[in-house]
Amino acid sequence: MPCVRTLLGLLAALAAGGAVAFLAYCVYFDRKRRGDPAFRRRLRDKRRARQRQQQQQAGGRGAQLWDPAKNEKLRERFLQEVRMGELWLSRGEHRMGVEHLSNALLVCGQPQELLKVFKHTLPPKVFEMLLHKIPLICQ
């Protein structure tokens, strides 16, 4: 029986040594991989692509409504762009007014509703200019 115990002990020691060697191999190459600048760049690109995809999916569903309390900066930007658009339109500079109103459309969480408001409040010529500007701002 002592021969079997010795053999089992030797096998256990070999298995433990193999496991330690395998873990050391994994740790070494993981550190080498994480330190590589190309790996970090690829990882950053993947994260950005995933984030863009999630934003597109959230925008396509329409389930997430724009909450001004959560997005104070966006709300301020939206109001600023609308004010600037109104200011330029009141001065007779339709092109600059349409530029700022299109920026407001970009920031707005519900652009369809805003377009309905613009349709009723803007002169037809200016509204038509804004409609022609929409495909350009979507790009």
Side-chain angles (χ1 to χ4, degrees):
M1 276 310 196
C3 208
V4 173
R5 281 189 184 167
T6 308
L7 185 61
L8 286 176
L10 182 62
L11 285 175
L14 282 174
V20 168
F22 179 72
L23 286 175
Y25 171 82
C26 290
V27 168
Y28 170 76
F29 280 106
D30 187 54
R31 289 181 142 237
K32 190 174 180 180
R33 177 183 61 102
R34 287 177 185 253
D36 183 25
F39 170 75
R40 289 183 180 188
R41 187 179 58 249
R42 286 190 308 266
L43 188 62
R44 192 177 328 117
D45 292 344
K46 283 182 184 178
R47 286 179 183 161
R48 286 180 183 162
R50 188 179 324 124
Q51 190 176 30
R52 268 189 247 118
Q53 184 182 18
Q54 288 173 350
Q55 287 174 352
Q56 289 174 350
Q57 288 174 350
R61 280 185 297 216
Q64 296 178 350
L65 297 178
W66 185 49
D67 187 8
K70 291 181 182 176
N71 301 314
E72 188 65 29
K73 288 182 182 177
L74 284 177
R75 188 173 75 87
E76 288 298 321
R77 170 75 188 244
F78 170 74
L79 292 174
Q80 178 186 7
E81 291 294 335
V82 170
R83 282 188 210 118
M84 290 298 293
E86 289 174 350
L87 178 69
W88 284 109
L89 289 175
S90 68
R91 291 181 180 173
E93 293 284 335
H94 297 301
R95 190 173 50 80
M96 288 300 293
V98 166
E99 185 73 30
H100 285 284
L101 292 177
S102 64
N103 289 342
L105 274 171
L106 275 177
V107 178
C108 182
Q110 300 171 347
Q112 291 85 7
E113 297 297 321
L114 186 60
L115 275 175
K116 288 178 185 176
V117 171
F118 284 160
K119 183 177 183 179
H120 295 293
T121 58
L122 294 176
K125 177 184 168 189
V126 175
F127 183 70
E128 191 173 322
M129 288 172 64
L130 183 64
L131 287 180
H132 288 296
K133 183 88 172 165
I134 289 174
L136 298 175
I137 64 173
C138 289
Q139 294 173 354

